[in-house]
Amino acid sequence: MTKRERAGAVIGILKALYPEADCTLDYDSPWRLLFNTRLAAQCTDARVNLVAGPLYEALPDLEAFASAPIELLEELIRPCGFYHTKAANLKSCAKILLEKHNGVVPDTLEALLELPGIGRKTASLILGEVYGKPALVTDTHCIRLSNRLGFAASKEPYTVELALEKIIPAPERLAFCHRLVHHGRTVCAARKPRCGECALAEYCPAGGK
């Protein structure tokens, strides 16, 4: 069985296990997804979702973020960690979105990467989740499971992305990454993967490594 064929089998199993392949960050607008993803760096999505409610109640739009005292923004996002840097990024990002993009989150990788604190992973999520473009979001779960499954042989996100591009059909890419997140959290954990009850075991050469 080729690597592409194994990938197809894995995609089918993951679809059956996690039919609702959704983003685990709550959001109701593109710019809030962008901001939530920035907050999620070195923080859990669950914690970001808890912080997001009070945050957007206090600062409901980009104008509020752009004009907010940095100290207020830092206090609102403190539970997410690295709040000095993240607050500065969000405030600057709000200003750029308003001044350069008329308040609209851009739909190209190049423009997204120009925003403060926005890397390739976040940009890919926006392109896939908001604009429906083929996107591979190589977060820690995606990287770990891709390596265990033998689809990649690197911990470097872009290298993993390039490897997956060769075997994951474009229409499946974003959902595949979302499903890897779910599977990584429920079965294929970083330290103690539950290989004995994993539905992917037949196609996984790692065997718990």
Side-chain angles (χ1 to χ4, degrees):
M1 181 177 282
T2 66
K3 189 177 292 188
R4 187 184 295 272
E5 288 171 338
R6 284 200 303 114
V10 167
I11 288 171
I13 293 170
L14 290 175
K15 280 184 176 181
L17 289 174
Y18 314 103
E20 299 297 328
D22 52 359
C23 178
T24 53
L25 286 167
D26 296 336
Y27 69 97
D28 57 9
S29 67
W31 72 267
R32 288 187 177 180
L33 176 60
L34 182 73
F35 283 21
N36 287 354
T37 308
R38 178 66 189 98
L39 291 175
Q42 305 299 313
C43 180
T44 65
D45 290 359
R47 176 165 293 182
V48 172
N49 289 338
L50 289 175
V51 169
L55 173 63
Y56 297 125
E57 184 175 343
L59 305 173
D61 50 38
L62 289 171
E63 289 80 4
F65 271 86
S67 61
I70 194 69
E71 295 81 8
L72 171 61
L73 187 47
E74 288 177 349
E75 187 60 31
L76 288 167
I77 67 170
R78 181 186 292 267
C80 295
F82 300 95
Y83 57 92
H84 293 303
T85 300
K86 291 179 180 180
N89 286 161
L90 295 187
K91 186 174 177 67
S92 296
C93 191
K95 291 179 179 179
I96 293 172
L97 289 176
L98 290 168
E99 295 169 2
K100 189 174 180 179
H101 300 286
N102 297 315
V104 177
V105 175
D107 63 353
T108 67
L109 181 67
E110 294 74 19
L112 286 165
L113 292 178
E114 290 178 354
L115 298 173
I118 302 304
R120 191 177 183 90
K121 180 180 74 173
T122 297
S124 296
L125 178 64
I126 295 298
L127 293 176
E129 190 77 16
V130 175
Y131 293 108
K133 297 184 178 184
L136 288 161
V137 183
T138 50
D139 68 353
T140 56
H141 296 288
C142 178
I143 292 170
R144 183 177 73 255
L145 271 68
S146 293
N147 276 267
R148 285 179 175 170
L149 287 163
F151 296 157
S154 172
K155 293 184 179 180
E156 201 283 314
Y158 186 50
T159 302
V160 174
E161 181 181 335
L162 292 177
L164 292 177
E165 278 184 351
K166 298 176 182 177
I167 60 173
I168 306 299
E172 300 285 355
R173 289 174 184 170
L174 183 65
F176 175 73
C177 293
H178 284 334
R179 290 182 173 113
L180 288 185
V181 171
H182 290 294
H183 198 65
R185 288 176 177 169
T186 58
V187 179
C188 193
R191 294 186 179 180
K192 293 183 178 180
R194 292 153 49 195
C195 300
E197 54 190 272
C198 180
L200 303 180
E202 179 182 354
Y203 304 100
C204 181
K209 298 178 183 178

